[in-house]
Amino acid sequence: MTELKVLISRDRIATRVGEMARQITADSRGEPVIFVGVLKGAAIFLSDLLRSVQLDATFDFIGVASYGDRTVADQEPRRVWDSTGEVRLTKDVDQSLRGKNVFLVEDILDTGLTLTFLKRLLLGHQPKSFRVAVLLDKPSRHKLAVEADYVGFTIPDKFVVGYGLDYAERYRNLPDICVLPEVGLG
Ligand code: IMP
């Protein structure tokens, strides 16, 4: 059984998500918002954030994959983590975002390739406003100059799982965010 070390406890996550929700509520000034969650990693973060904002809020999901993704558990870990950088859409939003206040909700900002791809795509809908909320940010891994408007936690260059984040589809159901030691590079 893989040894998992807790990096961010469920209590800290709940506190921080509450703070982010209060900030988003204040910044939105009573306007309706739509949260667009990136499948599958952001699903749990989105559901907690959504229930904490005090706004007229709806949500949708968008799906992306990387052409370099490996999802087989016995692949060499670094190859699972590091994609080729080519992002493709696997599920589009179900509705028009034109004229809406859009919050893109992502689990983790790593190289920034996914966010860059999605930002360009969603801005093409001509939303009224567009903001990005990420639970985790690994600034040392950024390859592109892209930033989120709301960041839950800044973390070191480690591979993390739990609270929606996976390793080969496993561990998404862990309530804490944990480090998988053999995948971390630090
Ligand atoms: P980026 O395009 O390199 O910024 O990567 C974003 C995506 O890579 C995230 O949505 C995750 O699916 C995945 N990812 C990056 N780092 C981790 C990690 O530490 N754990 C789990 N997934 C990660």
Side-chain angles (χ1 to χ4, degrees):
M1 184 70 184
T2 309
E3 188 205 331
L4 294 167
K5 192 165 154 265
V6 174
L7 181 69
I8 308 170
S9 70
R10 65 199 79 181
D11 292 348
R12 283 183 66 205
I13 297 170
T15 302
R16 186 70 189 118
V17 171
E19 288 169 0
M20 293 174 85
R22 276 193 291 283
Q23 191 64 55
I24 288 171
T25 301
D27 293 350
S28 299
R29 299 168 190 276
E31 291 210 15
V33 298
I34 176 160
F35 287 180
V36 177
V38 186
L39 291 170
K40 301 173 195 168
I44 293 172
F45 174 42
L46 182 142
S47 75
D48 282 346
L49 197 62
L50 187 80
R51 288 175 296 165
S52 301
V53 290
Q54 293 181 5
L55 292 166
D56 174 4
T58 55
F59 70 97
D60 203 337
F61 283 108
I62 196 161
V64 287
S66 173
Y67 288 107
D69 277 352
R70 297 288 186 277
T71 51
V72 183
D74 61 5
Q75 291 280 346
E76 194 265 309
R78 183 71 201 214
R79 291 185 64 207
V80 177
W81 188 8
D82 268 339
S83 68
T84 60
E86 277 185 86
V87 182
R88 69 190 164 90
L89 197 65
T90 56
K91 186 212 167 288
D92 206 348
V93 285
D94 295 331
Q95 58 197 285
S96 168
L97 302 175
R98 195 183 178 95
K100 297 188 177 165
N101 296 304
V102 175
F103 282 86
L104 181 65
V105 180
E106 173 65 307
D107 55 358
I108 187 164
L109 178 51
D110 188 38
T111 64
L113 290 160
T114 307
L115 198 53
T116 303
F117 173 85
L118 288 175
K119 198 171 171 179
R120 192 176 303 145
L121 185 82
L122 296 181
L123 283 174
H125 284 252
Q126 299 183 292
K128 181 176 180 186
S129 64
F130 180 80
R131 280 162 287 180
V132 177
V134 299
L135 179 68
L136 306 172
D137 185 14
K138 285 189 218 171
S140 61
R141 292 265 307 165
H142 291 195
K143 284 186 188 160
L144 299 175
V146 60
E147 278 181 21
D149 302 281
Y150 304 88
V151 176
F153 300 94
T154 298
I155 63 165
D157 187 2
K158 302 276 186 198
F159 193 86
V160 290
V161 294
Y163 195 69
L165 290 124
D166 77 309
Y167 173 62
E169 292 301 323
R170 294 183 61 208
Y171 308 113
R172 291 194 198 275
N173 62 322
L174 296 178
D176 307 301
I177 293 170
C178 302
V179 175
L180 266 186
E182 74 274 30
V183 185
L185 301 174

